[in-house]
Amino acid sequence: MSLKISVLFVCLGNICRSPMAEAVFRDEVQKAGVSDHFDIIDSCGTGAWHVGNLPDPRTVDVLTANGIYTEHLARKLKLTDFKKFDYVFAMDRSNLQNIKRVCPSDAKTQVALFGDYGSTGVSKIVEDPYYGGDDGFQLCYEQLVDFSRNFIQKVVR
Ligand code: 4NP
């Protein structure tokens, strides 16, 4: 791990929430002018069903509407991620459990809910929007912007 901070966002399929988190976080880092504080910003899933796929079109639509581009291809969480990343952020409690189950006991990475950085009144859980409507994706976006801004403020001094 370098002095710069590396952050990994994790959901189930790595096609809806975590690629959105990765893209939103990178956008917020750029907008805040703090890119030099960060090294690797990436995302993955705990499941392998969508490996190699581009994000869900509804994730792409919300990002595009906000001027954000993504070319992420889905991948599955792997053991070396716990060496490479300072923070591994889960979208929901089920993701968090799945990550903790495979995280080596001597890993120095911090595994947490990204929503732990949420503002008061913003739900800490980024609900799985896959089987729902477009409004679920919009809500994800709003939560992820909030968490990203708060996390950046907390770790960049
Ligand atoms: P994600 O959403 O975990 O936010 O990428 C899902 C995508 C696909 C499935 C479930 C959740 N799936 O069951 O295929």
Side-chain angles (χ1 to χ4, degrees):
M1 285 189 235
S2 64
L3 288 173
K4 294 187 180 192
I5 302 166
S6 290
V7 189
L8 180 67
F9 299 98
V10 186
C11 62
L12 179 59
N14 193 214
I15 54 167
C16 299
R17 293 165 290 176
S18 63
M20 191 190 292
E22 175 196 336
V24 165
F25 185 72
R26 196 174 283 125
D27 184 58
E28 290 297 328
V29 162
Q30 257 163 25
K31 283 201 267 195
V34 294
S35 299
D36 54 338
H37 285 76
F38 294 92
D39 187 7
I40 309 163
I41 298 168
D42 194 9
S43 66
C44 68
T46 59
W49 307 283
H50 299 280
V51 166
N53 291 357
L54 283 163
D56 186 285
R58 296 164 295 178
T59 282
V60 175
D61 283 351
V62 169
L63 290 174
T64 305
N66 289 281
I68 304 173
Y69 178 74
T70 176
E71 56 180 12
H72 181 78
L73 297 179
R75 72 167 179 91
K76 191 173 182 242
L77 178 66
K78 53 190 177 197
L79 269 181
T80 49
D81 288 328
F82 297 106
K83 281 201 165 67
K84 202 163 147 188
F85 293 93
D86 302 286
Y87 292 87
V88 174
F89 284 136
M91 298 296 111
D92 65 27
R93 293 196 195 284
S94 162
N95 308 148
L96 186 62
Q97 269 188 350
N98 289 331
I99 298 164
K100 284 188 169 169
R101 195 173 298 135
V102 294
C103 180
S105 53
D106 60 348
K108 293 189 175 56
T109 186
Q110 297 200 41
V111 179
L113 274 179
F114 193 30
D116 285 347
Y117 293 88
S119 301
T120 309
V122 177
S123 170
K124 287 162 79 90
I125 305 299
V126 186
E127 301 285 355
D128 184 348
Y130 188 64
Y131 294 105
D134 290 350
D135 53 342
F137 285 78
Q138 178 59 31
L139 177 59
C140 283
Y141 174 77
E142 287 164 19
Q143 289 175 280
L144 294 169
V145 169
D146 178 72
F147 303 166
S148 295
R149 288 180 182 167
N150 291 339
F151 176 67
I152 290 165
Q153 221 172 31
K154 184 117 185 182
V155 295
V156 175
R157 293 153 207 277

